[in-house]
């Protein structure tokens, strides 16, 4: 269990080691190609030290990696601000975003799929502006209006990944408590329920409601997110969000456990079709 930067260093190092091996090079041969000492390559591959985006480019060129998407993802893990695709728009908000939130957004922006269990609030990617404002004000003490506005802007800007080409594939299981909790008042909740109904009809969104009648379930200990990457499954990661930090789980055992938990939750939740009907009925009564 590690914080985001440590996880990213190790994942980046493991991927670079795999690419070197595929290129048929020893660590010493790779080091000579880029003009380094062998120990630097070893430290990078074990995640013992960070690596600059420029150094990652040198290694990728030495290993003859031409896959643009893979190069972009690895540069993002190295902290590059210059990769294409889903641009690093959030750097404009560096002054108001905690490092753990920036780590989360960087992973979200490069992931191909996201699976999430939410037990308290609507996922950020599906929130209305009014709902996002109410949640942010409640979650962060002592916010002035300017910083609150900036954090809400970030929350809404994140939602662009659902409209990107290709879009992020979002699979969300929402505990019924998420829908019953009146965040921001009745009018805000009515608009939020309508937004969920609209989102649930999108082809890239799979939304399921976990009703109270399901009783105790495997997700009762708290929400979680699983990020998946289409070309590099070894980079998949589980994120557990806490009040002051986020924890990232990268071990295969953890990924398997949370994947199985999510699959179990989907079985106990209403089907996507029944969830649509459920939301429609709730919306009519809101």
């Amino acid at each position: 269990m590690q914080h985001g930067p440590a996880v990213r260093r190790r994942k980046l190092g493991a991927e670079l080691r795999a690419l070197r091996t595929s290129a048929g090079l020893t660590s010493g041969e790779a080091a000579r190609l880029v003009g380094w000492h062998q120990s630097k390559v070893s430290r990078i591959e074990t995640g013992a030290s960070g690596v600059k985006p420029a150094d990652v480019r040198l290694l990728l060129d030495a290993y003859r990696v031409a896959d643009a998407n893979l190069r972009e993802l690895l540069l993002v893990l190295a902290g590059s601000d210059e990769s294409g695709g889903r641009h690093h728009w959030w750097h404009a908000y560096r002054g108001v975003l905690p490092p753990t939130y920036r780590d989360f957004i960087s992973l979200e922006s490069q992931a191909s799929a996201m699976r999430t269990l939410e037990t308290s609030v609507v996922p950020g990617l599906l929130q209305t502006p009014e709902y996002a404002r109410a949640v942010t004000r409640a979650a962060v003490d002592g916010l002035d209006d300017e910083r609150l506005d900036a954090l809400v802007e970030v929350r809404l800007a994140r939602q662009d990944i659902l409209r990107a080409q290709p879009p992020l594939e979002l699979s969300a299981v929402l505990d019924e408590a998420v829908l019953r909790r009146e965040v921001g008042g009745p009018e805000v909740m009515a608009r939020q329920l309508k937004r969920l109904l609209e989102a649930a009809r999108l082809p890239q969104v799979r939304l399921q409601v976990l009703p109270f009648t399901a009783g105790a379930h495997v997700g009762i200990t708290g929400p979680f997110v699983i990020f998946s990457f289409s070309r590099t499954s070894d980079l998949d990661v589980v994120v557990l969000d806490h009040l002051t930090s986020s924890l990232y789980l990268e071990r295969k055992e953890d990924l398997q456990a949370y994947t199985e938990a999510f699959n179990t939750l989907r079985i106990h939740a209403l089907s996507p079709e029944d969830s649509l009907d459920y939301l429609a009925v709730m919306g009519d009564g809101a």
Side-chain angles (χ1 to χ4, degrees):
M1 189 177 294
Q2 296 286 339
H3 293 287
V7 169
R8 290 191 301 174
R9 280 201 307 272
R10 283 213 303 274
K11 286 184 176 295
L12 175 59
E15 189 66 21
L16 289 172
R17 182 171 60 251
L19 290 171
R20 172 179 59 75
T21 302
S22 296
L25 298 171
T26 66
S27 58
E29 290 168 340
R32 284 193 292 275
L33 280 175
V34 295
W36 299 344
H37 192 279
Q38 181 180 355
S39 62
K40 180 173 180 177
V41 174
S42 298
R43 288 197 305 272
I44 289 172
E45 290 185 352
T46 59
S49 65
V51 55
K52 296 177 181 178
D55 288 343
V56 172
R57 289 191 189 92
L58 283 176
L59 291 174
L60 294 178
D61 290 343
Y63 304 157
R64 300 181 184 276
V65 178
D67 186 324
N69 290 328
L70 178 57
R71 289 179 69 99
E72 178 183 341
L73 177 56
L74 296 182
L75 287 168
V76 167
L77 290 175
S80 172
D81 295 346
E82 303 168 9
S83 62
R86 296 166 183 162
H87 296 287
H88 292 218
W89 53 266
W90 61 89
H91 287 292
Y93 297 91
R94 269 188 183 276
V96 297
L97 296 181
T100 52
Y101 193 16
R102 294 200 300 267
D103 287 333
F104 183 91
I105 295 174
S106 70
L107 287 172
E108 181 181 73
S109 69
Q110 294 300 319
S112 59
M114 174 180 173
R115 287 164 285 175
T116 181
L117 165 70
E118 288 292 350
T119 58
S120 298
V121 297
V122 170
L125 295 181
L126 303 178
Q127 292 177 4
T128 65
E130 299 90 346
Y131 187 99
R133 178 173 292 274
V135 166
T136 305
R137 189 182 292 280
V140 187
D141 251 350
L143 277 180
D144 57 42
D145 288 342
E146 183 178 357
R147 189 155 183 256
L148 176 62
D149 289 343
L151 290 173
V152 172
E153 284 179 20
V154 170
R155 183 70 54 92
L156 300 179
R158 284 172 48 201
Q159 298 177 4
D160 286 345
I161 61 173
L162 293 176
R163 297 182 289 272
Q165 292 301 324
L168 177 78
E169 294 182 6
L170 174 64
S171 182
V173 174
L174 307 186
D175 191 279
E176 185 175 344
V178 172
L179 309 176
R180 298 290 179 185
R181 179 168 289 104
E182 198 172 88
V183 174
E187 292 183 1
V188 170
M189 280 307 298
R191 287 191 289 272
Q192 180 60 70
L193 288 171
K194 181 180 179 183
R195 167 70 178 125
L196 284 175
L197 197 57
E198 293 170 351
R201 294 191 176 107
L202 296 173
Q204 67 270 33
V205 175
R206 181 188 178 100
L207 194 151
Q208 292 179 257
V209 175
L210 187 63
F212 289 146
T213 54
H217 54 76
V218 69
I220 206 165
T221 55
F224 60 85
V225 172
I226 306 172
F227 286 122
S228 298
F229 301 85
S230 58
R231 296 176 183 270
T232 49
S233 61
D234 285 345
L235 295 176
D236 291 0
V237 63
V238 176
V239 184
L240 305 178
D241 208 17
H242 297 275
L243 183 62
T244 58
S245 65
S246 296
L247 293 176
Y248 295 71
L249 283 66
E250 61 174 331
R251 297 186 311 164
K252 289 184 178 179
E253 309 94 280
D254 294 324
L255 285 164
Q256 182 177 351
Y258 277 89
T259 297
E260 290 175 356
F262 190 78
N263 291 339
T264 299
L265 289 166
R266 285 179 53 182
I267 291 171
H268 290 291
L270 300 178
S271 69
E273 296 76 19
D274 289 343
S275 295
L276 268 173
D277 293 339
Y278 188 91
L279 287 168
V281 170
M282 283 199 70
D284 290 340

